[in-house]
Amino acid sequence: QYAAVGVIGNEEYFKPSGCDLLFILNFVPFSSGFCWGNSVERKIYIPLNKTAPCVRLLNATHQIGCQSSMNGDTGVIHVVEKAQDLKWVLTDGPHPPYMVLLEGELFTRELMLQLKGSSRISGLAVAISKPSPAQGFSPGLKCPNDGFGVYSNDYGPQYAHCNWTVWNPLGNGLAYEDFSFPIFLLEDANETQVIKQCYQDHNLPQNGSVPEYPLCAMQLFAHMHAVTNTVTCMRRSSLQTAFSLNPEEVCDALSDYNVWSTLKPINASSKINPVDEVIIVATRIDSHSFFWNVAPGAESAVASFVTHLAAAEALHKVPDVQMLPRNIMFTFFQGETFDYIGSSRMVYDMKMDKFPIRLDNIHSFLELSQVALRNSSVLWVHTDPVSRRNESIQPQVETLVEALINSSVGANVTLQEVGQSQPLPPSSFQRFLRAKSIPGVVLADHRTSFQNRYYQSMYDTAENILMKYPEGLSPEETLDYVTDTAKSLAEVATVVARALYQLAGGTGNTSAIQADPRMVSRMLYGFLIKTNNSWFQSIIKQDLKGLLGDELPQHYIAVTSLVNTTQLVQYVLANLTGTVVNFTKEECLNPEKTPNPEKEMYVYTWVQGSRDPNSTSRVPFCVQSTVHLTKAASPAFELKQWGSTEYSTWTESRWKDIRARIFLIASKELEIITLVVGIAILILSLLATYFINAKAHVLFSSPGDGGTVAY
């Protein structure tokens, strides 16, 4: 244990009082209670509360991520602001191991591999770069979800492993490396400045001289329980569950729920008619970055699923949609970042007759990929060149493409078809093609490689999709302010809605089908900037208020059921496509008790509503919708095929403690002196106690004890 002395910032740390010395030197149990109001720990440590750790993830073959030792890792802080500063921590510095505070723009694969190979590094704290790195930053893979899409040695081998197109050329694969030391993201600029000030006051070399003690140090706790791969950790967890009364599992499968609804209601507890046709519209709702639960996903997920929601709303407003020959299913897949968890599970359920819609019911498939960063308003239509060789598929794909292009006439969106030699980009549609040849298209803002320079990155934020607000707006004004990005995405949603109407057999005039830019603005604000806004508050259940926070929203799948993103997409979709019905709270919560003959066709939700203008109370109401949830858990875990190469096998390690703190450490010499003095005082205390106890009858006897007292 380090002895801590000195001053950090404007506060003095560990100037021992008599109470502190009593606790430190005697270790008597009552002293900690006696001194509770003057905690030694609070004098020594400054906790870092706004941090995000890198955690360990595992799949069938290996582990990725970071971890600390069981009791945390400690090192002397050294700030690295330019590449030349690395020499001090790697070779010159006399006080290893070092805890590196790294500027965000230096957080690159090349630099990290240098640190990874050094025994002089005990951990890393990364200061987020503002503005975002101009050169781009993507810790994902150059070929996302490689091996789990449709292209393989048996299907379009020339397209497998991104041989034809490298989709994410900026991907450095950093998030898929394994680091043996902890790495934390510093999310608060004020905390970063406190660390830098501590470094400047105590650790900064002056004129080439070695800094003197006390030195500023950092301690990071992020010990992971799982090791090696998913096969190993799941086997250990299953053994614990089978033979232990108090099992301690070491990892959990990444899982959540998909959100889906249909344009025309269906009975979700039974199968639809085999001759009924359904058009599937799909998008993903999750993202990822190097750090745990830091996944803003503005371009990679949010812009596309907001566009999807806006298109669903626009279609539901069309008067004759219930009379269309074909149904439309709006699907929002969770876990697609990790080898298509959500889509692979839905395909599996369809094949196993565990879903109301079968693969044979699918008429066509339309997926919204990344759509916010268009060049000259061009949106590219991607198709699968292999399935188009099928004579029955080719004309259906042409019909799809034609409907989309016709729907863009007169809009501020130009749709262009990618050449038929170009394979599909990473998409959920690929998982459906693995099961059955289905006509389908993927809409994206890129023809070849991604436009997104921050794919799977902490920098894929609202700024990345050019969301800008005037200064001085109140939260309510910001919520309803229509940005240029919202207008652009509303145009895309309009084109998609019109095309879907035609594909479903609609013959009416599509010019009236129009997505609402104001609603798109609200959704972008809620999913990218602040979930705790008046609109989101009004459309959720009262007991789910904890979903809404003032932190920036994140869209990581995690391992808990129903993450915030899933629930919010569920309630937004119900609000945009559902109907307010005149039910009491009791009837809404228990629709089976009502005489309504269509109760099995709908889902009923009692939401808290908006605030009454004349009071502080809310006006709740009941929403009738067709919004459902279905599992987004990889079939590999249901089948217990933890080493599967067919399905995703990603798991997340468990941990007990994740935290970070800084403090001052003394020299080894002072530590030894402190230890020796403490031992000496302890020995003297024992000797004094023994002497006093042995001579107690002499020291504590009174002069009159020897005689008899007479009265």
Side-chain angles (χ1 to χ4, degrees):
Q1 180 66 46
Y2 289 96
V5 293
V7 176
I8 297 180
N10 295 321
E11 299 186 51
E12 187 174 352
Y13 281 81
F14 200 50
K15 180 179 180 182
S17 65
C19 179
D20 299 327
L21 289 172
L22 175 65
F23 174 74
I24 296 165
L25 299 178
N26 293 295
F27 299 97
V28 289
F30 69 86
S31 65
S32 59
F34 178 76
C35 304
W36 186 257
N38 196 13
S39 169
V40 174
E41 182 172 354
R42 288 200 297 269
K43 286 177 173 287
I44 298 175
Y45 301 107
I46 296 180
L48 303 175
N49 299 316
K50 296 287 186 179
T51 62
C54 161
V55 303
R56 175 168 289 166
L57 301 175
L58 310 95
N59 66 9
T61 57
H62 61 288
Q63 64 185 29
I64 63 173
C66 322
Q67 81 152 356
S68 73
S69 59
M70 187 169 293
N71 296 317
D73 290 326
T74 304
V76 174
I77 296 172
H78 190 78
V79 177
V80 175
E81 296 179 328
K82 53 186 183 298
Q84 292 82 345
D85 295 338
L86 275 181
K87 187 179 179 184
W88 181 267
V89 298
L90 295 176
T91 57
D92 296 349
H95 305 120
Y98 283 96
M99 194 67 69
V100 176
L101 173 55
L102 190 67
E103 292 296 333
E105 58 268 18
L106 296 178
F107 187 50
T108 62
R109 179 181 178 84
E110 294 74 24
L111 187 144
M112 289 301 297
L113 292 182
Q114 288 185 59
L115 299 180
K116 183 179 179 180
S118 174
S119 60
R120 292 168 56 90
I121 304 299
S122 61
L124 191 71
V126 180
I128 195 165
S129 179
K130 292 185 179 180
S132 302
Q135 71 276 16
F137 175 75
S138 173
L141 299 171
K142 292 183 182 296
C143 190
N145 291 353
D146 186 23
F148 290 87
V150 68
Y151 302 114
S152 64
N153 293 334
D154 300 321
Y155 188 100
Q158 68 271 35
Y159 306 124
H161 313 299
C162 295
N163 288 332
W164 193 274
T165 304
V166 178
W167 296 107
N168 185 30
L170 291 177
N172 58 32
L174 196 58
Y176 294 83
E177 290 286 336
D178 183 37
F179 295 92
S180 59
F181 51 78
I183 304 175
F184 278 52
L185 176 68
L186 301 174
E187 299 181 284
D188 188 341
N190 292 328
E191 287 189 344
T192 303
Q193 189 54 43
V194 168
I195 300 171
K196 288 183 176 181
Q197 187 62 51
C198 182
Y199 164 78
Q200 292 168 3
D201 291 343
H202 299 277
N203 298 9
L204 186 64
Q206 300 292 340
N207 301 320
S209 62
V210 175
E212 297 180 358
Y213 287 97
L215 297 173
C216 191
M218 182 184 293
Q219 190 172 27
L220 302 178
F221 297 84
H223 180 66
M224 301 289 127
H225 294 177
V227 294
T228 310
N229 53 41
T230 290
V231 177
T232 301
C233 81
M234 290 300 293
R235 184 178 65 245
R236 291 177 178 175
S237 293
S238 62
L239 288 172
Q240 282 276 342
T241 304
F243 297 107
S244 175
L245 294 176
N246 298 301
E248 291 189 8
E249 298 183 11
V250 295
C251 67
D252 300 282
L254 294 180
S255 62
D256 194 57
Y257 285 84
N258 297 322
V259 183
W260 66 276
S261 74
T262 52
L263 188 64
K264 297 188 289 184
I266 63 172
N267 189 338
S269 61
S270 62
K271 304 290 183 296
I272 67 172
N273 195 306
V275 299
D276 290 345
E277 292 183 324
V278 178
I279 301 168
I280 292 183
V281 193
T283 190
R284 67 176 59 189
I285 58 174
D286 69 297
S287 188
H288 178 47
S289 80
F290 185 89
F291 299 99
W292 182 76
N293 204 31
V294 178
E299 159 73 342
S300 61
V302 176
S304 55
F305 75 68
V306 163
T307 303
H308 188 171
L309 288 165
E313 181 195 30
L315 269 174
H316 272 268
K317 291 179 178 178
V318 180
D320 65 339
V321 289
Q322 297 302 317
M323 306 301 295
L324 293 176
R326 300 185 184 98
N327 207 343
I328 299 174
M329 185 171 86
F330 306 100
T331 313
F332 301 81
F333 290 121
Q334 181 64 274
E336 296 301 273
T337 303
F338 294 96
D339 299 337
Y340 305 118
I341 292 174
S343 55
S344 63
R345 179 53 184 259
M346 183 171 283
V347 171
Y348 173 81
D349 287 344
M350 287 179 172
K351 290 168 66 175
M352 302 301 292
D353 278 344
K354 296 180 179 180
F355 195 78
I357 296 170
R358 303 176 180 88
L359 286 170
D360 290 338
N361 292 121
I362 300 176
H363 169 269
S364 53
F365 198 104
L366 191 158
E367 181 170 352
L368 289 167
S369 186
Q370 303 176 79
V371 295
L373 298 176
R374 305 195 308 276
N375 277 337
S376 303
S377 298
V378 175
L379 200 62
W380 294 96
V381 182
H382 296 261
T383 59
D384 172 41
V386 179
S387 62
R388 292 188 71 167
R389 297 170 191 164
N390 186 314
E391 292 182 358
S392 63
I393 298 294
Q394 169 66 10
Q396 295 180 68
V397 174
E398 288 179 348
T399 301
L400 265 172
V401 175
E402 183 180 356
L404 285 164
I405 292 176
N406 290 342
S407 298
S408 67
V409 174
N412 291 326
V413 181
T414 303
L415 266 70
Q416 293 187 20
E417 185 179 3
V418 175
Q420 293 189 25
S421 61
Q422 175 83 19
L424 286 170
S427 52
S428 306
F429 179 40
Q430 292 199 32
R431 291 301 304 192
F432 284 80
L433 283 176
R434 283 178 72 131
K436 187 178 186 294
S437 289
I438 298 171
V441 299
V442 176
L443 299 183
D445 56 22
H446 54 89
R447 180 179 184 180
T448 53
S449 57
F450 296 162
Q451 296 277 10
N452 187 2
R453 293 176 298 137
Y454 306 107
Y455 183 74
Q456 290 187 6
S457 162
M458 55 194 169
Y459 301 114
D460 190 8
T461 59
E463 290 77 12
N464 185 35
I465 59 172
L466 308 178
M467 282 179 60
K468 297 178 181 178
Y469 296 94
E471 293 183 3
L473 294 182
S474 67
E476 286 301 308
E477 291 171 336
T478 308
L479 174 65
D480 287 327
Y481 181 81
V482 180
T483 63
D484 290 340
T485 302
K487 294 175 184 176
S488 174
L489 293 179
E491 290 279 359
V492 176
T494 298
V495 170
V496 169
R498 291 174 179 177
L500 288 171
Y501 176 76
Q502 293 179 24
L503 291 168
T507 56
N509 184 2
T510 61
S511 60
I513 301 175
Q514 187 74 42
D516 184 359
R518 178 172 168 271
M519 193 57 69
V520 173
S521 283
R522 285 186 159 198
M523 289 189 282
L524 289 174
Y525 179 82
F527 285 111
L528 286 175
I529 296 174
K530 189 177 181 181
T531 56
N532 192 15
N533 60 73
S534 60
W535 183 51
F536 275 12
Q537 290 169 9
S538 69
I539 64 174
I540 64 170
K541 295 180 180 178
Q542 186 175 8
D543 58 353
L544 294 178
K545 290 185 290 186
L547 286 177
L548 309 180
D550 294 325
E551 304 289 333
L552 289 175
Q554 307 298 339
H555 308 290
Y556 173 62
I557 179 175
V559 296
T560 56
S561 295
L562 283 176
V563 296
N564 289 7
T565 303
T566 303
Q567 294 186 75
L568 290 174
V569 168
Q570 176 191 7
Y571 286 105
V572 169
L573 182 59
N575 179 267
L576 297 181
T577 63
T579 305
V580 177
V581 291
N582 189 24
F583 279 17
T584 65
K585 183 177 181 180
E586 179 65 23
E587 291 172 334
C588 193
L589 296 177
N590 301 283
E592 67 278 0
K593 296 180 181 179
T594 65
N596 182 4
E598 294 187 333
K599 59 190 175 186
E600 293 184 354
M601 310 293 283
Y602 294 98
V603 175
Y604 296 89
T605 310
W606 186 258
V607 300
Q608 62 180 359
S610 303
R611 292 190 185 277
D612 188 326
N614 301 318
S615 71
T616 58
S617 61
R618 293 182 176 274
V619 184
F621 55 91
C622 186
V623 176
Q624 172 188 274
S625 72
T626 62
V627 180
H628 301 272
L629 298 176
T630 185
K631 278 188 177 180
S634 172
F637 297 99
E638 182 166 313
L639 300 170
K640 295 191 175 180
Q641 296 176 358
W642 303 321
S644 173
T645 56
E646 170 71 13
Y647 298 112
S648 171
T649 55
W650 284 106
T651 54
E652 179 183 275
S653 175
R654 290 195 177 187
W655 60 80
K656 284 187 177 178
D657 191 19
I658 287 184
R659 56 195 169 98
R661 60 190 186 182
I662 64 172
F663 55 98
L664 298 180
I665 60 172
S667 65
K668 295 293 182 183
E669 292 79 7
L670 182 55
E671 290 179 9
I672 294 171
I673 292 172
T674 304
L675 178 62
V676 170
V677 170
I679 293 173
I681 292 174
L682 177 62
I683 293 172
L684 287 173
S685 299
L686 293 174
L687 289 174
T689 303
Y690 175 78
F691 173 77
I692 292 170
N693 186 59
K695 300 296 183 180
H697 65 285
V698 176
L699 295 173
F700 301 110
S701 63
S702 61
D705 286 349
T708 302
V709 178
Y711 291 93

